């Protein structure tokens, strides 16, 4: 793969709690305990520019491990240039703590965050300390206002409906020199969003979207209700995007898998269904040229 390129690397593809999930011994988690190669880290992306520098999307609780993945693959690259945060849920920002006094003790690392996320970090411990000691420098991210993180990469952040207890939630369009990628790791439902996912998908080359759960049965088997943890079901998203995938202009990958999702098992019947329908499953290490 050419060094002179912008590429996206998948650093995590699990729902916030990862796979295996702490104290869970379901079949998927047990398989992942036994085989570290199939463990999944909390959803995250690296935006790698000319293999010289990179930016991180979401600071997950698995960030320590994700930095090791980056170092192994790109030994000559330093620390990320910036971090872009989608929202304040457990899988998306706690990695910021590694930047503080007890860890890397970074100096003014730019962290792009929405207005509410910024207030949340500035007002609540332990995050306040990162701001006060200037380990991080919180940069504003405004709904529907694109900005450059590099001369070759433009980011368009847009808000999506989600359980916003502490912050707003963003998805991103990441635009490189030749292609555009849509990234939405968390959304409550496609219907509640003011944009049409089909239109959005048509206008990009690659989509990587929320597929936390495969089916309703899966959620009830956990003893939880979808109203408490709303996400579009993978099966419904396939129905919605099938025509676009059939046209072969846009490729659609799923991510943010809950430990109960059958598609995390590469031998499952469900993963065959997904692939037969022309969709694909994000896996740690995958790369996309933009
Ligand atoms: Zn999440
Ligand atoms: Zn489990
Ligand atoms: Zn969330």
């Amino acid at each position: 793969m050419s060094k002179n390129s912008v590429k996206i690397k998948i650093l995590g593809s699990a729902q916030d709690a990862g796979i295996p999930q702490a104290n869970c011994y379901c079949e998927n988690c047990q398989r992942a305990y036994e085989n570290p190669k199939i463990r999944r880290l909390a959803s995250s992306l690296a935006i790698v520019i000319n293999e010289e520098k990179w930016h991180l999307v979401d600071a997950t609780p698995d960030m320590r491990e994700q930095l090791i993945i980056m170092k192994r693959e790109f030994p000559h690259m330093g620390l990320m240039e910036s971090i872009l945060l989608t929202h304040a849920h457990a899988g998306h920002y706690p990695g910021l703590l590694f930047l503080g006094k007890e860890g890397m003790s970074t100096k003014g690392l730019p962290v792009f965050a929405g207005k509410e996320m910024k207030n949340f970090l500035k007002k609540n411990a332990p995050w306040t300390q990162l701001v006060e000691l200037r380990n991080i420098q919180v940069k504003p991210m405004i709904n529907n206002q694109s900005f450059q993180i590099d001369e070759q990469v433009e980011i368009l952040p847009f808000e999506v409906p989600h359980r916003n207890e502490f912050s707003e939630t963003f998805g991103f369009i990441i635009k490189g020199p030749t292609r555009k990628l849509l990234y939405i790791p968390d959304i409550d439902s496609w219907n509640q969003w003011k944009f049409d996912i089909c239109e959005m998908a048509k206008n990009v080359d690659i989509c990587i979207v929320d597929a936390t759960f495969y089916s309703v049965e899966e959620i009830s088997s956990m003893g939880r209700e979808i109203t408490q943890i709303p996400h579009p079901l993978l099966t419904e998203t396939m129905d919605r995007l099938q025509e676009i995938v059939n046209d072969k202009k846009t490729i659609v990958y799923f991510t943010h898998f809950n430990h109960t999702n059958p598609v995390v098992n590469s031998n499952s019947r469900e993963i065959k269904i997904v692939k037969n329908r022309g969709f694909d499953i994000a896996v740690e290490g995958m790369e996309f040229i933009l």
Side-chain angles (χ1 to χ4, degrees), residues 24 26 29 259:
C24 181
C26 74
C29 288
H259 63 112

Side-chain angles (χ1 to χ4, degrees), residues 71-202:
K71 200 68 196 170
R72 282 224 173 104
E73 173 113 15
F74 308 104
H76 52 282
M77 280 197 321
L79 194 62
M80 72 287 267
E81 303 290 313
S82 80
I83 301 177
L84 300 122
L85 296 177
T86 57
H87 67 302
H89 276 166
H92 303 267
Y93 77 107
L96 293 179
L97 283 179
F98 297 121
L99 305 172
K101 222 178 177 180
E102 305 91 331
M104 291 184 264
S105 194
T106 52
K107 308 248 175 319
L109 189 92
V111 173
F112 292 95
K115 197 171 150 210
E116 288 172 49
M117 182 87 207
K118 186 175 176 177
N119 282 337
F120 175 78
L121 296 173
K122 283 195 159 173
K123 289 189 180 143
N124 295 286
W127 322 104
T128 39
Q129 185 172 283
L130 297 169
V131 179
E132 281 160 15
L133 296 181
R134 305 219 168 104
N135 299 122
I136 64 171
Q137 188 190 342
V138 187
K139 302 253 191 189
M141 205 158 50
I142 299 161
N143 189 23
N144 286 321
Q145 276 191 27
S146 56
F147 58 99
Q148 304 279 138
I149 49 166
D150 185 272
E151 52 185 27
Q152 297 186 76
V153 185
E154 184 183 298
I155 305 287
L156 175 67
F158 50 83
E159 285 189 31
V160 295
H162 192 39
R163 313 173 272 117
N164 290 335
E165 297 94 339
F166 305 123
S167 76
E168 62 281 270
T169 301
F170 283 110
F172 299 118
I173 289 177
I174 305 169
K175 191 176 168 200
T178 56
R179 303 209 289 170
K180 284 188 255 181
L181 181 144
L182 173 79
Y183 184 58
I184 305 178
D186 261 292
I187 187 166
D188 285 356
S189 100
W190 300 124
N191 283 335
Q192 285 166 30
W193 192 23
K194 67 174 187 173
F195 295 108
D196 177 3
I197 180 60
C198 295
E199 285 306 312
M200 291 291 269
K202 259 188 233 167

Side-chain angles (χ1 to χ4, degrees), residues 188-246:
D188 285 356
S189 100
W190 300 124
N191 283 335
Q192 285 166 30
W193 192 23
K194 67 174 187 173
F195 295 108
D196 177 3
I197 180 60
C198 295
E199 285 306 312
M200 291 291 269
K202 259 188 233 167
N203 290 318
V204 298
D205 304 279
I206 306 150
C207 295
I208 306 179
V209 295
D210 181 350
T212 310
F213 302 112
Y214 189 84
S215 66
V216 185
E217 294 76 52
E218 187 193 329
I219 304 162
S220 44
S221 75
M222 298 193 295
R224 306 277 291 268
E225 279 173 45
I226 190 144
T227 50
Q228 300 304 309
I229 37 174
H231 287 278
L233 299 171
L234 193 159
T235 45
E236 285 175 10
T237 305
M238 286 199 291
D239 293 341
R240 229 173 243 266
L241 296 180
Q242 189 69 60
E243 246 177 76
I244 287 156
V245 165
N246 291 349

